[in-house]
Amino acid sequence: MAWRGLAQRGWGCGQAWAPPAGGRSCEELTAALVQPRLLGRRFNFFIQQKCGFRKAPRRVEPRRSDTGTSSETYKRSALIPPVEETAFYPSPYPIRTLVKPLFFTVGFTGCAFGSAAIWQYESLKSRVQSYFDGIKADWLDSIRPQKEGDFRKEINKWWNNLSDGQRTVTGIIAANVFVFCLWRVPSLQRTMIRYFTSSPASKVLCSPMLLSTFSHFSLFHMAANMYVLWSFSSSIVNILGQEQFMAVYLSAGVISNFVSYVCKVATGRYGPSLGASGAIMTVLAAVCTKIPEGRLAIIFLPMFTFTAGNALKAIIAMDTAGMILGWKLFDHAAHLGGALFGIWYITYGHELIWKNREPLVKIWHEMRTNGPKKGGGSK
């Protein structure tokens, strides 16, 4: 019979049908313990299962977030946290996992630019009042007795000497440093991996697309990214303004992560990603596109300079090759997505999005001017 042949191939008491040394076989134990009338053909399979012929349940191993053995997983880069014990569960229909991130990307980008437009309106409205407040503060400082070595005064002096761009990115740098410190807390490791690393195989898909933009596990990774952001902060804020820059930066982080999701689903590599590199690539690409003749230099090799346009071409070529060849040190898809978004926004997006914000600003102005209607009767 078919089931018997299958049982003889793999359902025996041992690896082979030989009895254990110094003991009796399974059939001999059955004949000794069960009466002969139960040893007929009808009950033979039932007795064999009771004697140990039951098929062992198959253990379902969760799919790891990347291919390879457990000893090789995530040892490819020191920039990501040690998540070898974290199992990811890719969907059997991977394309469907991109639906929610797509809607989140579109919705968040719209909200970011809408909020930036309202923020700019409120800033312009309060500028006159802030000007008079500043004059009053300067007059009070002139008549107030000054203390030598006043720490607060030194901080204010340092802050006032910063450019608008540097003051804008100071908050971003502080947020990155805070999240970096959270990675050092052992009890928060699971939470950090779940919400501050992005992967299409994770149970949480949308919020990590934004939170991972402020997340760095490696000190060198964070220091390099924040240095580049600080270096380009003055140029990008002079080009876009403070409010528009914040909208572009936050949207770039989400968009670059979505491009990374698409690449991971297409290639089947579900490793986690984190870092501000995608958003910073948008800043770098926007500045290099707007000022292609600007001169740039490498921090460790300041004697070698090159144009911003050539630097952008080299970065795009390197990230394209890394994405195609499957280099695992960086998330090249996120870098490439951020760079392309920066080029597109400076070339077309500013005209299509930011210059068409007037209807939203008018609606907000009417809401602020009219306010809630009073005197409404109640039934």
Side-chain angles (χ1 to χ4, degrees), residues 95-107:
I95 300 299
R96 297 182 183 179
T97 61
L98 298 176
V99 176
K100 288 178 63 177
L102 175 61
F103 281 102
F104 177 78
T105 302
V106 175

Side-chain angles (χ1 to χ4, degrees), residues 40 88 113 166 215 221 266 306 310 314 356 366:
F88 296 89
F113 280 96
Q166 291 172 339
S215 178
H221 188 200
F306 40 84
N310 291 335
N356 292 322
E366 293 176 358

